[in-house]
Amino acid sequence: EVQLVESGGGLVQPGRSLKLSCLASGFTFSNYGMNWIRQAPGKGLEWVASISSSSSYIYYADTVKGRFTISRDNAKNTLYLQMTSLRSEDTALYYCASLNYGSSYWGQGVMVTVSS
Amino acid sequence: DIVLTQSPTTMAASPGEKVTLTCRASSSVSYMNWYQQKPGASPKLWIYGTSKLASGVPNRFSGSGSGTSYSLIISSMETEDIATYYCQQCCSTLTFGSGTKLEIK
């Protein structure tokens, strides 16, 4: 069974940093591109960042470019999102997801709240 | 970047009614995916490649479209279809539509 389990969320002050992790199991993690997608409370889905299977290709949404860094450790089956210079508008539920043609797997999400 | 505009934002349908949700892209895309999200749950892939049903999706659902205009159609609304539906395009960068919340009348 495929499982994606996010961790590392919490309450953080504006301007501070936070690092999210996503532990994958049940599939060959190193073969698949991965994504972070977020959802602000009561709002829609917003793609944040993508990384290819070997980390060769990395893409960011304009709203986080220069502040967030996506990375992965295939030996640990783990996806990361380093978030710096956090703003109130970054408050959201952050999902780790493997989105493939014909299939998708999502974690349950981890909440990040940016507030003083 | 490609912007996806979904309409309507919210709609209510009666059981048995045909439902059509629309997604328009600001530029032509190769195909469209659709996700279903119920309250408190993670999104699920519902339709991929414009018209292919994901595993387990009832065949009362269908998808169509090309270029900049795509649709998700429910031939006969059922209570279990209450959810928010998002369209999504790929592939180097992803974009989601703002969603259509489908309610029962």
Side-chain angles (χ1 to χ4, degrees):
Chain A
E1 179 193 6
V2 172
Q3 281 199 310
L4 297 170
V5 180
E6 302 95 338
S7 61
L11 174 63
V12 61
Q13 293 179 328
R16 303 296 291 265
S17 299
L18 203 61
K19 187 172 186 177
L20 306 182
S21 300
C22 171
L23 179 61
S25 61
F27 67 108
T28 307
F29 179 73
S30 59
N31 286 353
Y32 293 91
M34 296 294 296
N35 305 271
W36 287 100
I37 294 155
R38 67 186 181 183
Q39 187 168 34
K43 301 298 184 182
L45 302 171
E46 180 189 14
W47 168 75
V48 173
S50 297
I51 186 168
S52 63
S53 57
S54 61
S55 305
S56 297
Y57 301 97
I58 290 175
Y59 305 96
Y60 298 98
D62 288 343
T63 52
V64 306
K65 199 174 294 182
R67 299 188 300 122
F68 290 11
T69 302
I70 188 173
S71 63
R72 63 190 296 162
D73 185 335
N74 286 342
K76 295 182 178 180
N77 287 349
T78 303
L79 176 72
Y80 302 102
L81 186 67
Q82 176 70 55
M83 303 184 293
T84 64
S85 302
L86 282 161
R87 307 166 180 168
S88 57
E89 54 264 38
D90 295 319
T91 293
L93 186 64
Y94 283 74
Y95 292 105
C96 158
S98 172
L99 305 181
N100 310 297
Y101 187 79
S103 68
S104 79
Y105 301 102
W106 297 66
Q108 288 303 303
V110 61
M111 190 67 201
V112 173
T113 303
V114 183
S115 175
S116 55
Chain B
D1 291 354
I2 295 177
V3 175
L4 301 180
T5 302
Q6 290 188 243
S7 60
T9 301
T10 306
M11 75 171 295
S14 301
E17 184 179 346
K18 181 180 180 179
V19 172
T20 301
L21 310 183
T22 299
C23 177
R24 298 196 190 280
S26 58
S27 300
S28 182
V29 299
S30 300
Y31 60 86
M32 193 65 68
N33 298 324
W34 294 85
Y35 290 82
Q36 180 197 68
Q37 186 180 32
K38 295 192 174 184
S42 302
K44 294 181 179 179
L45 180 65
W46 215 242
I47 293 174
Y48 67 97
T50 300
S51 59
K52 302 174 183 62
L53 301 186
S55 178
V57 174
N59 60 14
R60 61 180 178 274
F61 284 87
S62 63
S64 66
S66 65
T68 61
S69 183
Y70 294 84
S71 297
L72 180 155
I73 301 151
I74 307 173
S75 61
S76 179
M77 176 75 179
E78 294 196 10
T79 303
E80 66 179 24
D81 301 334
I82 297 172
T84 300
Y85 293 86
Y86 295 93
C87 57
Q88 175 249 321
Q89 68 85 27
C90 74
C91 291
S92 56
T93 60
L94 312 181
T95 311
F96 289 91
S98 54
T100 292
K101 185 176 182 180
L102 183 57
E103 301 171 335
I104 200 81
K105 194 182 293 182

